[in-house]
Amino acid sequence: MKNVAVIMAGGKGERFWPMSTKDKPKQFLNLVDSERSMLQLTVDRVLPLVDIEDIYIVTNIGYKDLIFEQLPNINSKNVLFEPIGKNTAPCIGFATAVIKKRYGNANIIVLSSDSMITNNKLFLENLRTALLCCNNKNIVTLGIVPSRVETGYGYIKLGDKLEQDNVYVVDKFVEKPSYDLAKQYYESQMFLWNSGMFVWENETMYGQLKNNLPSISNGVDSIMKSVDTNNFDRTVSDAFDSFESISIDYGVLEHCNDILVVPCNCGWDDVGSWLAVERLRNKDINSNVSEGNVFLLDSCNNVVINDDDKLLISTLGLENYVVVKNKGVILIMNKDNVADIKNVQKEINKTKYKKFI
């Protein structure tokens, strides 16, 4: 059976403003690699298992030019444009419909376009294990072995271990915990981070959508019938108008029995904020991360990024800050406020400065 990859690339990347903007969000930026964007790295990573003609990108129509600029070898018919973002269940349902029409059934690898993996070899081994498991009509998720106490991710509790090496039944999915609870999860070694990476047969997901999300399933059916016809764009638009905004986790996975999980220790990071850049880039002797014309004196534990080669950013006595200069915008914030960066954009959007968002 064919291996097909579905890469979700419609996010706005608001937590990486001002480098990530509505015109060029983080999946199109070289955040962790000097030459390749997050999206390009995701495609590169899966190519050993999936032919380029079997890679599908689900994204926003506003990113059309960026997609084809960064992925010139992608089949244009494999780029699926959502008329409006409505979370991961409609996104995955959209891809499920197109793949069902073109392939019938296939092994589907679902990835996000804005995660980082440092050990690609181990990641591919984990994917191969998951692909073997999904042929028994199982939904398989890749769970990340925690490397720290983390409150920003959902968790997966391990159930029984299968005879197959490194495969477990999912006991349950757990919401983002408090710090004390996350510490318990970490110390117990019975919980994994929920990475949002999945493997299943297309027909398996098609059936699960029908059983658990009939309102979305009806739209998926109509899209499937219209694939590669003149009515496709109109049908997709009508279907998305009717879709509820819901994640695949809430809409499907939490209602399924016997979901399997493959624990992964492949250096995964969701690159969700400027703190992830700090984790993934090299630091100087004072634990600063810097890029561009930057001079740091008596400063420690900072992230300072400067995109202007005619400008110098200098700090003195600065500690625990993020400073980013990008295309006419300078952001200065304490690391403790990283989670609130969306509030800055929301408030600026009410002012005469909204053009900078």
Side-chain angles (χ1 to χ4, degrees), residues 137-238:
K137 311 300 180 185
N138 288 306
I139 289 176
V140 188
T141 182
L142 302 186
I144 306 302
V145 178
S147 57
R148 61 184 182 275
V149 177
E150 175 60 64
T151 60
Y153 303 148
Y155 282 72
I156 299 168
K157 185 179 181 183
L158 294 173
D160 294 335
K161 189 177 188 299
L162 301 189
E163 290 183 7
Q164 186 169 352
D165 189 39
N166 200 39
V167 182
Y168 294 77
V169 175
V170 171
D171 181 278
K172 62 180 178 179
F173 291 90
V174 184
E175 299 293 327
K176 295 176 181 178
S178 65
Y179 180 85
D180 289 342
L181 202 51
K183 189 171 185 291
Q184 291 178 33
Y185 292 168
Y186 179 69
E187 292 173 348
S188 75
Q189 299 184 6
M190 290 301 296
F191 290 83
L192 305 172
W193 291 336
N194 185 355
S195 69
M197 298 186 289
F198 309 104
V199 176
W200 51 59
E201 288 188 8
N202 200 55
E203 291 289 357
T204 299
M205 180 49 59
Y206 196 83
Q208 290 293 346
L209 289 169
K210 191 173 291 292
N211 292 337
N212 296 299
L213 285 174
S215 60
I216 287 179
S217 176
N218 292 335
V220 168
D221 279 335
S222 64
I223 291 173
M224 189 269 294
K225 294 171 184 174
S226 73
V227 172
D228 298 326
T229 73
N230 294 332
N231 297 324
F232 179 67
D233 291 341
R234 169 54 61 185
T235 304
V236 170
S237 179
D238 291 344

Side-chain angles (χ1 to χ4, degrees), residues 23-34:
D23 296 322
K24 193 173 184 179
K26 71 170 179 174
Q27 60 267 34
F28 301 105
L29 301 177
N30 299 3
L31 283 175
V32 295
D33 186 280
S34 61

Side-chain angles (χ1 to χ4, degrees), residues 114-129:
D114 53 5
S115 296
M116 180 61 189
I117 288 171
T118 58
N119 190 332
N120 287 338
K121 181 180 179 180
L122 186 53
F123 171 70
L124 291 172
E125 289 177 9
N126 296 145
L127 272 185
R128 290 187 179 98
T129 299

Side-chain angles (χ1 to χ4, degrees), residues 28 63 76 89 103-104 111 176 199 227 302 339:
F28 301 105
Y63 307 148
S76 61
Y103 296 79
L111 304 171
K176 295 176 181 178
V199 176
V227 172
N302 301 295

Side-chain angles (χ1 to χ4, degrees), residues 65-84:
D65 291 342
L66 285 168
I67 291 287
F68 292 120
E69 174 188 325
Q70 295 199 358
L71 302 175
N73 296 325
I74 204 80
N75 187 330
S76 61
K77 290 186 177 181
N78 290 11
V79 182
L80 309 180
F81 296 109
E82 295 177 291
I84 183 172

Side-chain angles (χ1 to χ4, degrees), residues 17 62-63 99 105 107 157 200 208 215 312 316 334-335:
W17 183 80
Y63 307 148
I99 292 165
N105 200 14
N107 295 323
K157 185 179 181 183
W200 51 59
Q208 290 293 346
S215 60
L312 172 67
L316 174 62
N334 191 286
K335 287 182 188 175

